């Protein structure tokens, strides 16, 4: 019951399993760093309840989400999101067009070392 938790940084551990859906219950969470672990599965839809989330670092895990789910569902529902780092996972699909990334606060998106398909959107410079 860490309902007042603002930051959870648990990088470079040996955490395995999936991302707990309960993290979405925390209305004050601004930073979630679970990078360099052994997490798998997708990003829980319950995480969408974290309207204050600014930093999401899930790189270097074994997440098997799709870019479509991440950028059509997760990112639009996180209005305060500034940084999203998802490098070195098993995320697949095409990168969505910037219209689907309508969030003025995003400053950093890192998607390398995944299973990107297709071309980069022509209007990516609008981000």
């Amino acid at each position: 019951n860490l309902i007042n938790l603002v930051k959870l940084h648990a990088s470079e551990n040996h955490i395995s399993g999936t991302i707990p859906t309960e993290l979405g219950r925390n209305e004050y969470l601004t930073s979630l760093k679970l990078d360099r672990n052994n997490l798998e599965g997708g990003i829980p839809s319950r995480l969408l309840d974290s309207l204050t989330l600014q930093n999401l670092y899930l790189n270097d895990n074994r997440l098997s989400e799709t870019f479509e789910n991440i950028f059509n569902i997760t990112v639009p529902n996180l209005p305060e999101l500034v940084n999203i780092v998802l490098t070195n996972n098993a995320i697949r699909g095409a990168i969505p067009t910037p219209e689907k990334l309508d969030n003025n606060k995003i400053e950093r998106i890192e998607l390398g070392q995944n299973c990107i398909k297709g071309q980069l959107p022509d209007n990516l410079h609008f981000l």
Side-chain angles (χ1 to χ4, degrees):
N1 288 339
L2 299 173
I3 59 171
N4 294 317
L5 186 68
V6 175
K7 296 180 182 181
L8 175 58
H9 295 181
S11 303
E12 294 188 63
N13 285 288
H14 298 284
I15 301 170
S16 59
T18 59
I19 299 169
T21 58
E22 291 79 13
L23 288 174
R25 290 187 187 161
N26 190 309
E27 60 185 87
Y28 303 107
L29 188 65
T30 62
S31 186
L32 179 60
K33 294 185 179 185
L34 297 174
D35 53 301
R36 292 172 278 203
N37 281 293
N38 295 310
L39 295 168
E40 52 192 15
I43 300 171
S45 59
R46 184 86 192 235
L47 194 60
L48 303 178
D49 295 339
S50 297
L51 297 177
T52 56
L53 192 63
Q54 297 172 3
N55 299 297
L56 182 60
Y57 290 78
L58 299 174
N59 51 295
D60 298 293
N61 279 292
R62 294 181 289 168
L63 299 176
S64 56
E65 185 68 80
T66 66
F67 286 116
E68 181 179 9
N69 282 347
I70 293 169
F71 288 105
N72 291 338
I73 299 170
T74 306
V75 172
N77 288 301
L78 297 172
E80 299 300 317
L81 192 64
V82 176
N83 298 300
I84 182 168
V85 181
L86 302 170
T87 54
N88 197 23
N89 278 291
I91 302 170
R92 61 200 179 284
I95 297 174
T97 58
E99 294 86 46
K100 296 179 181 175
L101 301 176
D102 190 21
N103 180 336
N104 323 13
K105 297 188 178 185
I106 290 181
E107 295 177 4
R108 178 181 183 189
I109 299 175
E110 291 190 24
L111 306 174
Q113 296 173 309
N114 279 291
C115 301
I116 297 173
K117 291 183 180 179
Q119 300 179 353
L120 290 175
D122 290 335
N123 51 355
L124 197 58
H125 65 278
F126 287 113
L127 287 176

